[in-house]
Amino acid sequence: KIVYTVPGKGTFVCDKDGKNVLELGYLNAPQWINNDWIVGMNDLDDGDRIIESDIMAMHIQSGKKYNLTNEDTSIALYPHASGDGNKIVYHTLDGQVFLLTISTMD
């Protein structure tokens, strides 16, 4: 499967032939966690700078989204999942780096 974002349209998943397109809504900078989950950022900008952003995990079949940084007041950006899908690293606008340990249930 391929995950991609079209500016102004949203984030999508398709098979390797570009068929069976599934629209996921807005999720910027998407990355695979495993075959069923992706992680990305739900960011908002004022046209000049990012003013807020949270890291979201999404189950691609159900469309359920989970905010992984909602307790955090910083601007969380550009998540990346580990190869085993158990950890997500992201950084903040002021340069801090965070590592989350996660567990997905399919």
Side-chain angles (χ1 to χ4, degrees), residues 1-7 10-41 56-61 65 79-81:
K1 299 176 207 168
I2 300 168
V3 63
Y4 61 96
T5 299
V6 178
T11 296
F12 303 85
V13 171
C14 68
D15 62 25
K16 65 180 181 170
D17 298 321
K19 299 190 184 320
N20 301 315
V21 176
L22 179 63
E23 184 175 353
L24 302 178
Y26 184 80
L27 190 64
N28 211 2
Q31 299 281 315
W32 288 103
I33 295 174
N34 60 32
N35 288 333
D36 298 310
W37 289 84
I38 59 172
V39 65
M41 58 188 207
M56 307 292 288
M58 176 184 249
H59 186 260
I60 61 172
Q61 293 303 319
K65 286 184 183 179
H80 185 78

Side-chain angles (χ1 to χ4, degrees), residues 5 26-32 38-45 48-56 68-69 74-82 87-100:
T5 299
Y26 184 80
L27 190 64
N28 211 2
Q31 299 281 315
W32 288 103
I38 59 172
V39 65
M41 58 188 207
N42 185 16
D43 59 316
L44 178 65
D45 65 68
D48 200 27
R49 61 185 175 88
I50 298 173
I51 55 176
E52 67 181 62
S53 181
D54 285 307
I55 303 302
M56 307 292 288
L68 302 179
T69 57
S74 62
I75 297 175
L77 302 166
Y78 300 102
H80 185 78
S82 62
K87 294 184 180 12
I88 295 172
V89 65
Y90 67 93
H91 67 85
T92 63
L93 200 56
D94 59 358
Q96 294 179 306
V97 176
F98 290 90
L99 179 66
L100 302 174

